[in-house]
């Protein structure tokens, strides 16, 4: 089982979503307790807006193919 952490939002809306880090920490704690793998996605989206839609929250299709899929592959198969 792999649990994927919550993605960061863009800088323009991060104030509204300030609890993401807290939730990711809780997810990581849960994974340790259940002995399952937590995948940290915090470095995938730097917040600069490149892969975000106009709302600053949802990401573009290109993010999934260009960034997230290679990240998951690395975390699952190469780490």
């Amino acid at each position: 089982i792999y649990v994927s952490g919550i993605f960061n939002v863009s800088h323009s809306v991060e104030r509204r979503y300030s609890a993401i880090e807290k939730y990711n920490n809780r997810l990581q704690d849960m994974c340790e307790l259940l002995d399952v793998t937590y995948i940290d996605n915090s470095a995938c989206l730097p917040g600069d807006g490149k892969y975000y839609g106009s709302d600053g929250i949802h990401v573009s299709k290109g993010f999934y193919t260009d960034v997230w899929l290679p990240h998951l592959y690395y975390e699952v198969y190469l780490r």
Side-chain angles (χ1 to χ4, degrees):
I1 296 175
Y2 295 90
V3 176
S4 180
I6 302 166
F7 297 121
N8 292 327
V9 295
S10 70
H11 294 312
S12 64
V13 296
E14 68 186 355
R15 186 186 252 173
R16 249 188 311 162
Y17 296 90
S18 60
I20 290 175
E21 185 177 354
K22 176 180 149 186
Y23 289 127
N24 280 333
N25 288 337
R26 300 281 180 149
L27 284 172
Q28 193 169 9
D29 292 343
M30 178 195 73
C31 289
E32 289 175 12
L33 181 68
L34 298 174
D35 197 28
V36 298
T37 302
Y38 173 78
I39 298 177
D40 182 6
N41 293 309
S42 60
C44 287
L45 285 164
D48 62 6
K50 179 177 178 181
Y51 288 106
Y52 293 102
S54 60
D55 63 2
I57 302 165
H58 297 95
V59 294
S60 67
K61 180 182 175 183
F63 165 75
Y64 292 109
T65 57
D66 298 346
V67 179
W68 195 45
L69 184 59
H71 175 70
L72 286 178
Y73 182 85
Y74 172 80
E75 292 292 327
V76 172
Y77 294 107
L78 301 177
R79 191 163 243 225

